[in-house]
Structures are given as structure tokens and as C-alpha cells.
Amino acid sequence: IYSNVAMELVVDLFGSYASDSGVAYEPMAAARLYDSRSVQSPLAAGTMVRIPVVRSGGAPAGATAAALTVHATNAVGGGYVTVYPCSTTRPVVSSLNTVSGSSVTNHVEVALNGAGEICVYVSNAMHVVVDLSGWFGTAATTRFYAVPPFRAVDTRIGTGLSGAFAAGADRAVTLAGSGGLPASGTLRAVMAEVTAVDPVAAGYITIHPCLSPVPGVSMVRYVSGANAANVVASPDDASGRWCITTSAVAHVLVDVSGYFA
């Protein structure tokens, strides 16, 4: 782990990939499981919410773990969110951390309890949104393959796509066949760090397998002038492409670290 400035660092482990153990993964177009904004009031400090993942529109029966995008928005102060299987004692780890007024997003992979649920704990008052991007289980059909990280998109210098994203733009980039990724048809999903650079206003990035209309979910949230990044594990379309949408003007980077096939 390399840092270009002095800082404290915490690393929390939530799983591993191996060739001789575990279960396969099933990528899916992101679907919203929970949004506390629908009840208007933020979750109070110390609240724990149980969220069913195995359900219609979510993961199927038999899923044992889930890949999630977790958003914390409008936090009233410094705090954190912990996502964990409801069947275990809440661990002393954080899935994302907030400061006052912030909107923060993180990718989380977490085991489910026997009822197909996760629990989400907030240490301070805030809204929480949870989106499902895939599930693990015996019925899943892909495996993860790590690759040496490579930059597939840098709109600042014309790598993959050229020029900053306009607000509301939806642009496709072909990932299949690049940087050690297999051809379309074999490639099922890509794992990458997606970064918003120099945004001119608060907004978000949505990654999707070139669907129409664009799904009403997001993977990266940013504020004016502040770079923001998150890990995304999203399916590609039949042509091996991701489509990228930004709600406000920003440059976009995509750094690939692996794929599912």
C-alpha cells in the first residue's frame, strides 16, 4: 500500500477469492434494495436496519453473499456505516466513513444471513441507500480473474474516451479485449475503480451495460471541485462495453483490476 501524503490507514477484510474454495458470482445490472430517503427523515444515530437481499428484484433463493453499492448521504457529522450479516454480532469495522454534510459511496461485498438479509448500522444520523450489483451462490455462473491494473479510460488525455463528460451524457467504452480482458461473449463483468475528476457541481456517475433507459442508480457520488472514486463491478453488454453516465460535468477515469467470466 503506497500513500503519497502522510495519513493514518485502516484495512478491513471482508472476503477472498480462491481457485479451490468458495462459490461463483453472478453479476447483474444494479438494482436498488433500500433508500431511507423514501421515509424522508434520516436514520437516527445508532440505528440498525435489516434489509432483505433475497427477494423479487434482488438475489435469488440460495444466494450466500452479495456485492453492494452503499451510499451515505446528508450525514449530520463524522460517523460511519457498517454492513454485516444479521446473524453475527456487529463487527468493529466500517464499510464507509462520513463527515458533516457529506455524501459518500463504497463497494461492499458481504455474506447474507440464513434469511437472505444484511444489516446496516449507522453511527450518526444520515440517509442510507443500498444497491445490489451481484450475488454469490452455488447457482452463480462466473469466476473472478485478477489482471495487472490498467487504465481503460482517462478523459483528460483521450484514453478510451476523450473530453470531459457533459451533464447527462451517456457514453460507451469497449472493455472486452483490452488489457488482458477476454473477448465479448466470454467477458461477463468488469471490476474497476471509477473516479470523477474536477467535477464542476455535485453529482454522480452511473455505470451500466448500455441499457435504455439509464438505470436510476449511481456508483460514484461527488461534490464540486472534489475528486471521488469507488470500486464498480458491473456487467458489460453483448459487445463487451460499459456505458458511463454523469449527472454533472466531470472527467472520468476507469482503472480495471479484474473481470468475471
Side-chain angles (χ1 to χ4, degrees), residues 5-261:
V5 296
M7 65 175 70
E8 301 288 355
L9 185 72
V10 178
V11 178
D12 298 327
L13 178 68
F14 50 72
S16 62
Y17 294 92
S19 59
D20 57 353
S21 63
V23 293
Y25 176 74
E26 192 66 24
M28 57 180 283
R32 183 141 293 169
L33 296 179
Y34 176 80
D35 189 341
S36 67
R37 296 172 300 181
S38 63
V39 297
Q40 296 184 344
S41 298
L43 300 176
T47 297
M48 186 278 286
V49 179
R50 301 174 74 96
I51 301 173
V53 176
V54 174
R55 68 190 199 197
S56 176
T64 57
L68 308 167
T69 303
V70 181
H71 311 271
T73 66
N74 303 118
V76 302
Y80 61 90
V81 177
T82 300
V83 183
Y84 62 102
C86 297
S87 55
T88 63
T89 302
R90 175 166 56 87
V92 186
V93 300
S94 60
S95 302
L96 52 81
N97 296 275
T98 66
V99 296
S100 181
S102 64
S103 291
V104 182
T105 303
N106 204 9
H107 176 83
V108 177
E109 295 177 8
V110 62
L112 309 179
N113 70 358
E117 300 171 316
I118 58 167
C119 281
V120 177
Y121 170 84
V122 298
S123 71
N124 211 336
M126 66 184 76
H127 279 297
V128 170
V129 180
V130 179
D131 298 327
L132 176 68
S133 58
W135 52 271
F136 297 84
T138 56
T141 59
T142 76
R143 294 184 178 275
F144 177 70
Y145 298 86
V147 298
F150 69 94
R151 182 151 290 172
V153 174
D154 186 340
T155 59
R156 300 170 301 178
I157 60 173
T159 301
L161 296 169
S162 182
F165 274 69
D170 187 38
R171 301 165 68 183
V173 59
T174 299
L175 298 176
S178 65
L181 302 185
S184 59
T186 299
L187 183 67
R188 294 280 306 282
V190 176
M191 181 174 285
E193 183 93 354
V194 178
T195 306
V197 178
D198 295 330
V200 303
Y204 58 86
I205 297 175
T206 299
I207 306 293
H208 63 100
C210 298
L211 302 174
S212 182
V214 175
V217 297
S218 60
M219 288 73 179
V220 181
R221 292 174 181 261
Y222 49 82
V223 297
S224 179
N227 300 346
N230 190 27
V231 171
V232 176
S234 175
D236 57 308
D237 73 354
S239 298
R241 304 179 303 167
W242 267 9
C243 279
I244 304 171
T245 301
T246 61
S247 68
V249 174
H251 281 287
V252 174
L253 312 181
V254 176
D255 296 325
V256 177
S257 58
Y259 66 93
F260 297 89

